[in-house]
Amino acid sequence: MKNLCVIAILALILASCQESLEDRCEREAKEYTAKQCPIRIDKTTRMDSLTFERETHTIHYYYTLMGNADSEVVLKNIDAVGALKNELKNTTTMKVYKDNKYRFAYTYHSEKDPQKVLMEITFTDKDY
């Protein structure tokens, strides 16, 4: 009987120590931003930060576009929304978040005018 009580207490302790998916996502976003950002993706794109919006379960990526890509017209011409959607559909690294119907948001700012939002899009589980 004592062994059963000890096992039950250990199981409760271990269960209470596990991190929720929300906590994990928030922690990982903060750690990634602190360690990696800003990070140059290519010659025209820089990732500035990654956040998690707990209230809406949204993983939000913030980018700055530079040089020739610093234009709303360019984003439309290359179908940036379609490319992002396809990438999200095909990525396996976000499976746990997609399985839990998290949202994914992308905001692109201009390097020339940092207050200007060139594109902002949010994908829900219906999109991927």
Side-chain angles (χ1 to χ4, degrees):
M1 186 69 170
K2 280 185 181 179
N3 287 341
L4 188 57
C5 287
V6 170
I7 291 171
I9 291 171
L10 285 174
L12 285 173
I13 290 171
L14 289 174
S16 67
C17 292
Q18 290 202 347
E19 185 176 41
S20 72
L21 185 58
E22 290 173 323
D23 291 342
R24 173 182 154 196
C25 190
E26 187 171 49
R27 177 184 51 77
E28 287 178 351
K30 285 179 184 176
E31 287 175 0
Y32 185 87
T33 298
K35 291 177 183 175
Q36 302 291 327
C37 294
I39 186 169
R40 196 78 179 248
I41 304 299
D42 56 36
K43 68 180 185 174
T44 61
T45 312
R46 179 184 70 225
M47 183 175 174
D48 298 313
S49 65
L50 172 62
T51 63
F52 175 62
E53 299 160 9
R54 187 179 283 266
E55 308 78 44
T56 59
H57 288 142
T58 303
I59 298 170
H60 201 142
Y61 298 86
Y62 293 90
Y63 294 93
T64 296
L65 295 178
M66 303 164 277
N68 296 338
D70 192 347
S71 163
E72 293 163 321
V73 174
V74 170
L75 290 172
K76 287 181 184 173
N77 286 342
I78 64 168
D79 187 22
V81 172
L84 285 171
K85 185 187 277 190
N86 283 336
E87 184 178 329
L88 184 59
K89 281 181 180 180
N90 295 321
T91 187
T92 57
T93 58
M94 299 305 234
K95 183 178 180 346
V96 68
Y97 300 115
K98 292 192 298 187
D99 288 349
N100 285 278
K101 300 183 181 191
Y102 277 40
R103 299 160 46 114
F104 298 86
Y106 302 84
T107 301
Y108 289 84
H109 288 272
S110 165
E111 181 185 44
K112 292 179 230 165
D113 181 5
Q115 299 303 314
K116 183 176 182 181
V117 174
L118 298 171
M119 183 178 84
E120 190 161 40
I121 185 77
T122 301
F123 298 112
T124 67
D125 60 308
K126 292 171 185 60
D127 298 309
Y128 56 80

